[in-house]
Structures are given as C-alpha cells and as structure tokens.
Amino acid sequence: MHDLSIDIETFSSVDIGACGHYKYAASPDFKILLFAFSIDGGDVEIVDLTQGEKLPDKVLLALTDDRVLKHAWNASFERICLSHYLGTHLPATSWRCTMVHAAALGMPLSLKDAGAAFNLSDQKMSEGTSLIKLFSCPQKDGHRVLSKDAPDKWETFKAYCKRDVEVEAAIQTKLTRVPLPQFVWEEYAVDQAINDRGVRIDRRLAEASISLAQDNSKTALKRASKLTGLDNPNSPIQLKSWLEEHGLPLDSLDKATVEDALARSTGVVHEVLSLRGEYSRSSVKKYEKMLACADTYDRAHGLHQFMGAGRTGRWAGRLLQVQNLPRNYLADLEATRELVKSGDLETMKLLYPSVADTLSQLIRTALIPSENSRFIVADFSAIEARVLAWLAGESWVLHAFATGEDIYCKTASQMFGVPVVKHGVNGELRQKGKIATLACGYAGAVGALRAMGTERMGLNEVEMETIVGAWREANSNIVQFWRDIEAAALNAIKKHVITRIGKVSVGFAKGMLTIKLPSSRCLYYARPQIAENRFGAEGITYWGLGAARKFQKLETYGGKLVENITQAIARDILAEALVRLEKAGYHVVMHVHDEVICDEQPSFGSLDEVVSLMCVVPTWAQGLPLNAEGFEADFYKKD
C-alpha cells in the first residue's frame, strides 16, 4: 500500500464551528460512526463502526505507517479524530491534505465548491448537510439519532461518506498534474505540529474580562437610556434618529464614523456617543471564543489554516483569528491585567477613560506561555518593503535597509530631494514617506492613500497626488516592475510562453497563468483570459476566491500581481523560518503575519538566537536584507 484515501463521519456534542475540531474530538461522547477508504485508487469501501464492524488490520497499520501517504479533504480533521480514536497521536508527516493542495492552486476550500470548480462528473451529495445534522449532532432536545432510528437515511449517510472519498480522490487525481514541492509538505507538517501544540489561555483573565464587560455594558446602556429617553439605545435606528433630532445626523454608526462624530460633538451628544463605545464593543467576544475553544489544559488549538489566504499561500486565522487582534498601547499592561482579574469595575472606571477599550487592549495578553515558561516573540521588520525592493532592484531602498536607515525618512528624502531626520530637520516629511511606502508599493494611488485615512490627517487630493507622483518617481524600478509583470502575464495568456522578469518567471501551464517564485513554489491563476479593463485597455481576468470565499471571475493587473508575488515570497521566508525554529528545538505556538511566538522554559533558547534563526537568508534569496527584532514576555502583546 502506498496511498490511503479517507473520509469519516463522526458524532460529538461539542459545536465544531464554535470550538474547533480539536475540542470536538476530545469530547467524552466523541465517536467515529463511519470510515470510508480507498487503497491505491481502488474501489471505495466503508466500515460501519456503529454496527460493530472493525477497521481492517491493513488500514490500522497504514494509519501509523509513515511510508503510507494518507489523503483526505481537510486532513487535519481526520488526523485528529483518528488520533483520539486510536489513542495515539498521529503526526502529520505522512498526511496529504487535498484541500491544502487545491487551495495552493487558488481553488475553493470546501469540497462541494472545489468539485464544481474542477467540473467533476460526480459531485458531493447535497443531502450531506441534513444527514450530518441528523446523525452527527445532538438534537434540540439533547438526544442522539442512531442508525436504527432512521435506517433508510443511514444508508444514504453511508453513500454520502463513500461519495466524499470518490470526490476527494477525483480531485486528487487532477491535482497530481500540478504537484506541490516536497518542501511545502514539510512546511505543512510543521504547521500541523504548531496547531497540535496550541497556545495557553489565561482563563482567569478571560473570565474576569467577560464579567466586567457585561457589568460595564449594563451600566452604560442604562445611562444612555436615561440621557436619550430611548427604550433601546443599542438600536442603530433609534440612536440615529435621536442623534438627528439633536443636530448630528449620521449615515452609519461604524467605528470610523462614530470616532469622527465624537471629535466634533459636545455635551450630552458626546456623552451618548461615548457610552455607545462602552456597550456596543464586540471585541470582548474574543474572550468568549478563547474559552469556547480552550481544552481541559486551557490550550487553544488549530488557530492557523495552512494555505488559507488564497493564491499567495499565506496562512489564514481560525477560531480566535489571531491575525486580527486589537493593538495595545496601555502604559502598564501587567498592573491593568491584575486589576481586571480583581473584578473591580469602579476602580477601572476611575483609572481608564474607557473600560471597554481597556478590555479590548488586553485581549492579546490573555494568550500566555505554558506554566513556568516565557514567550519569545520576534517579528520580521518591514518584510514586504524589503522583498519588493529586492524583486525590483530598487538599490537605494536595499541600501537603506542594509545600513539600518529609517526607511520612512529615506523615502521622504528621495521623494522631496531634501534630508529628512526623524524628530529633526524636515522631520514633518517623514509621515508622508511612511504613508507613501505603505500605500503606493502595489500601484496604489490617491484611493489607496484615502483608504489609509489621509483625509482625516488633513491632506487634500492635490497633496495626495503629489505624494503618489513623488513616490513613483523615486521608485522607478518598482514602477517598471509592475509594468513588466503585467506585460509578461498578458503575453503568457496570449502566446503560452514563459518570460523571465528578474527573479520570477511568468508562464502558462495546465490552463493556468503561473508565476514561479524564487523558492520554486508557484502561484496559479485558473482560467485566465484577456478582457477590456475599466480604462479601455487590455486587462487580465481569472477565476479565484472573491467575496465571501466564492469561486468567481476576478480582475487583476500588474500592481496586484506584484502584491501577490511579494506577499508570497514573504510567506515563504516565514515558512522557512518556522521550519528552522522547529528543527532547532523551539516550540512555536503562534505566528501572526510576520511575527513568531515561541513558548519556552527559562533554561532554553534566547531572543538573540530566535532572531538569528529567522534572519538566515534562504539560498534562493541572496541579497535580500532581512532583519527581525523582538522581546521576551510573560504574556503576548504588541511591543
């Protein structure tokens, strides 16, 4: 046996959507109901474990044999469930996730949508959702529906389980035409080890924060009701009507609009808007999510989705969404954490302008190291700006990074032709250099500057156009790189030829536009076509994941392709660093964007070593000036 394709159907009283599959499989009432499998592409067989059937010995042996590759759609679920079933941890080294492979080609992450995208003759059975609700979940009254309770539907459930193996195997066959490099599967194994390890939750802080937030919300809502006379000040319709009556009409009550309104309001209107921030803040839900997915050891698992962020191959967040945590800027986080744990709401109100904002800032700090350990946190410095300059050969930017200059000052100096020193000569221009660096690298123009809030900073359209023009003139090689990549992509779609642009190759293969990265990994754009863009010129369309993760026709252009390339290379650098850290014995428990969090005992490791391991320049990235910095702490924070 070389390959074993698997699909299982299970039961657990734990809500998998809220708590994740690690906690789902750890539930005392967890059971595997059905086990469907195919050996080396043969006919699909099914084992009904509810009827006393047993897994064949050859299958049991294969599950623990690293020489046999185990295939499944979202293989992490099967691997973790089978680990609990067998009573032994199954490492991911010999597992191949078909979902991950499909995602690397820009395909959907659901088996149903992927089957449709691949135009399979046999699709996933539509009855599956209702059957899972029937057999795999407790009913509203708490009881379980067993196979004997609905034998006809149970037979359909068995057919559904077998069909999933058939669909997965059919997709796998198509994917073999575009294999992933072996090092990607090694990265996947490290990713799974990180998810298996999990990160510890400060349960006491989370529970105290939830309690304080509830009490604070009740108090604020009661005060707002008294001030406004409204039955429910939390109702956007009621509150907007009241605000309009009091001379402050608002189209929306989103965060940016309310912050702007607070800046120009006074008196009772200002107080009411401030109170809204106390009773409507939703970020405290992160604490609830932490407790929901924490296991009996207070660890949250499965927070990262490998290849989850579309064609770049970057990770996506799951459950806690650690890539989207509020920033902290409190002066004394430790003291604030202890005050929250004491549950003293009145003192909180006296010391902090906003209790809700304070609790929001502490969300990061509820992620803590193992007992008697500490976090080592290190973050790549300006990784995308470095990669972009390296790709385009923008030598002055590379020199600035290599010599440790302030990149925003240097950019402003290049843009405006004068020396710029932070807090010194022409220091006021540094902010424009920063805005331009962050907004203009991928062909962003005035719209990109507006998205960064430049209008609220007092910049008008003429000033924004000046910034864009000055940045592009100072970074002419990057501008040319956008153009060259777009021209190469158009040529690849039209003529199916390969064009080398600096360190990447743009071509066409298997019906897809391909961009080969320096690491040898490729980016894929399915079903590319030439179409007229909004400017009346030749443009590029392809099929990929759009809004709400729907597989649809999308448009792209040179700047966007360069963004994909840059972020994909930054991802590859992070992935190699994670593998390197794991091999050196470090215990990575999280990574957030370009930041790595290790959970280590006092006797092991150091920040200097972590930074050194992260900054090893890959053999394929010679000349790229990497840098990282970090800190050690007793809880996670944004330093």
Side-chain angles (χ1 to χ4, degrees):
M1 187 189 308
H2 184 269
D3 295 277
L4 177 67
S5 294
I6 303 168
D7 185 71
I8 60 175
E9 302 303 336
T10 58
F11 173 87
S12 174
S13 59
V14 170
D15 183 344
I16 194 170
C19 304
H21 61 267
Y22 284 84
K23 192 169 181 179
Y24 173 92
S27 174
D29 59 7
F30 167 78
K31 289 178 172 57
I32 295 181
L33 309 175
L34 300 170
F35 185 106
F37 66 94
S38 168
I39 296 174
D40 293 334
D43 292 340
V44 178
E45 302 178 51
I46 191 160
V47 179
D48 187 341
L49 296 169
T50 70
Q51 301 302 310
E53 297 177 9
K54 304 292 184 183
L55 295 183
D57 289 343
K58 60 184 177 181
V59 171
L60 286 170
L61 289 171
L63 290 174
T64 56
D65 186 345
D66 276 351
R67 295 170 297 179
V68 177
L69 296 181
K70 276 72 73 174
H71 302 265
W73 188 269
N74 191 18
S76 179
F77 176 77
E78 270 75 11
R79 184 178 62 83
I80 296 305
C81 288
L82 287 166
S83 291
H84 281 275
Y85 175 76
L86 297 173
T88 184
H89 178 255
L90 299 174
T93 48
S94 60
W95 285 76
R96 296 293 181 266
C97 181
T98 316
M99 181 184 76
V100 160
H101 195 160
L105 273 60
M107 292 295 175
L109 275 72
S110 82
L111 184 58
K112 176 184 176 182
D113 292 342
F118 280 108
N119 296 315
L120 299 183
S121 55
D122 290 325
Q123 298 285 338
K124 183 179 176 74
M125 290 171 59
S126 59
E127 299 94 330
T129 301
S130 62
L131 291 170
I132 288 172
K133 288 181 179 179
L134 181 66
F135 293 116
S136 296
C137 307
Q139 302 305 293
K140 289 183 179 179
D141 60 5
H143 87 280
R144 271 189 66 193
V145 175
L146 304 176
S147 56
K148 64 181 182 181
D149 299 326
D152 291 344
K153 290 185 177 180
W154 184 257
E155 289 303 312
T156 305
F157 198 33
K158 291 167 70 173
Y160 165 77
C161 186
K162 290 180 66 176
R163 174 67 66 82
D164 274 6
V165 176
E166 292 165 352
V167 173
E168 183 272 335
I171 292 174
Q172 182 187 329
T173 298
K174 288 181 176 289
L175 293 174
T176 56
R177 300 167 56 212
V178 191
L180 296 183
Q182 176 59 29
F183 70 79
V184 173
W185 292 117
E186 293 170 3
E187 294 166 356
Y188 172 71
V190 168
D191 163 82
Q192 292 295 284
I194 293 169
N195 278 318
D196 291 353
R197 188 174 294 133
V199 64
R200 186 178 173 210
I201 302 299
D202 189 332
R203 180 174 289 274
R204 186 179 164 206
L205 177 63
E207 290 176 342
S209 296
I210 292 169
S211 179
L212 280 173
Q214 291 171 343
D215 292 344
N216 183 58
S217 179
K218 289 177 185 176
T219 303
L221 198 57
K222 184 177 180 180
R223 173 65 176 164
S225 184
K226 182 178 180 179
L227 290 172
T228 61
L230 299 174
D231 294 332
N232 181 17
N234 200 26
S235 163
I237 294 175
Q238 290 186 33
L239 185 57
K240 284 197 291 185
S241 177
W242 183 88
L243 289 169
E244 186 171 4
E245 290 173 4
H246 287 74
L248 188 64
L250 297 178
D251 294 330
S252 168
L253 291 174
D254 62 30
K255 183 179 178 181
T257 303
V258 171
E259 285 180 353
D260 180 65
L262 275 167
R264 52 191 174 87
S265 61
T266 58
V268 68
V269 172
H270 183 86
E271 184 178 355
V272 168
L273 284 173
S274 297
L275 287 167
R276 176 175 169 77
E278 296 302 297
Y279 63 71
S280 68
R281 186 177 290 269
S282 61
S283 55
V284 74
K285 292 180 180 178
K286 293 275 191 183
Y287 291 115
E288 296 171 341
K289 178 62 76 172
M290 287 178 184
L291 296 180
C293 63
D295 64 12
T296 54
Y297 300 99
D298 289 338
R299 300 191 79 86
H301 303 269
L303 304 185
H304 303 92
Q305 175 58 61
F306 191 77
M307 292 284 176
R311 67 202 59 82
T312 63
R314 294 193 299 175
W315 280 263
R318 291 293 182 264
L319 299 172
L320 300 186
Q321 297 293 341
V322 294
Q323 285 86 349
N324 187 30
L325 298 176
R327 294 183 68 89
N328 56 263
Y329 46 87
L330 289 166
D332 192 340
L333 287 170
E334 183 60 55
T336 309
R337 293 175 84 251
E338 293 307 310
L339 179 58
V340 169
K341 290 179 182 181
S342 76
D344 190 344
L345 179 58
E346 294 309 312
T347 302
M348 290 282 293
K349 289 180 178 179
L350 287 173
L351 293 179
Y352 303 102
S354 168
V355 172
D357 180 64
T358 300
L359 295 176
S360 178
Q361 289 188 58
L362 292 181
I363 288 173
R364 288 175 184 265
T365 75
L367 302 171
I368 59 175
S370 303
E371 194 169 353
N372 300 319
S373 297
R374 90 284 195 200
F375 278 155
I376 302 176
V377 183
D379 191 8
F380 282 116
S381 174
I383 185 68
E384 286 191 35
R386 293 168 186 266
V387 170
L388 178 58
W390 177 72
L391 281 168
E394 203 64 79
S395 57
W396 70 265
V397 179
L398 294 173
H399 182 267
F401 279 127
T403 56
E405 294 182 69
D406 183 308
I407 191 59
Y408 302 139
C409 287
K410 185 64 176 178
T411 298
S413 180
Q414 287 287 126
M415 288 168 61
F416 301 110
V418 295
V420 178
V421 179
K422 187 176 182 180
H423 306 310
V425 61
N426 298 314
E428 72 281 359
L429 294 177
R430 181 181 184 274
Q431 182 65 11
K432 293 183 179 180
K434 180 177 181 179
I435 292 169
T437 299
L438 298 175
C440 297
Y442 305 128
V446 170
L449 294 178
R450 282 204 183 99
M452 292 188 63
T454 49
E455 287 178 320
R456 290 197 297 274
M457 299 175 191
L459 295 177
N460 59 40
E461 185 156 346
V462 172
E463 289 174 307
M464 287 187 269
E465 288 176 348
T466 299
I467 289 173
V468 172
W471 186 90
R472 291 186 177 185
E473 185 175 348
N475 292 271
S476 58
N477 287 338
I478 292 176
V479 173
Q480 188 60 48
F481 190 56
W482 305 335
R483 295 168 179 162
D484 291 344
I485 289 293
E486 182 165 331
L490 288 167
N491 207 31
I493 297 169
K494 290 176 186 176
K495 302 178 182 178
H496 296 188
V497 295
I498 298 174
T499 306
R500 181 81 178 178
I501 306 294
K503 298 172 177 65
V504 300
S505 296
V506 183
F508 188 95
K510 313 295 183 185
M512 294 182 287
L513 174 67
T514 65
I515 301 178
K516 189 171 184 179
L517 304 173
S519 67
S520 80
R521 192 168 68 88
C522 286
L523 304 184
Y524 297 95
Y525 301 80
R527 308 175 199 168
Q529 291 183 322
I530 306 297
E532 184 177 301
N533 63 24
R534 57 179 174 163
F535 304 109
E538 284 187 325
I540 300 167
T541 65
Y542 67 98
W543 281 74
L545 298 181
R549 310 299 289 173
K550 181 182 178 182
F551 194 64
Q552 62 190 70
K553 183 180 283 191
L554 303 170
E555 296 181 2
T556 193
Y557 55 94
K560 189 66 177 177
L561 292 171
V562 169
E563 179 181 28
N564 292 166
I565 294 166
T566 303
Q567 292 181 347
I569 292 172
R571 173 261 176 223
D572 289 347
I573 290 168
L574 173 64
E576 284 205 16
L578 291 173
V579 173
R580 204 177 297 118
L581 286 164
E582 287 283 325
K583 287 182 178 179
Y586 283 89
H587 301 86
V588 179
V589 291
M590 279 196 317
H591 49 94
V592 181
H593 301 303
D594 306 309
E595 181 181 58
V596 175
I597 300 94
C598 302
D599 184 350
E600 308 301 339
Q601 293 184 346
S603 59
F604 180 83
S606 68
L607 174 60
D608 287 345
E609 185 178 30
V610 168
V611 167
S612 177
L613 287 167
M614 288 180 66
C615 291
V616 173
V617 178
T619 56
W620 48 263
Q622 294 306 303
L624 174 60
L626 289 179
N627 189 35
E629 54 189 14
F631 56 92
E632 297 188 13
D634 295 328
F635 47 79
Y636 182 49
K637 60 184 178 180
K638 200 67 179 176
D639 197 31

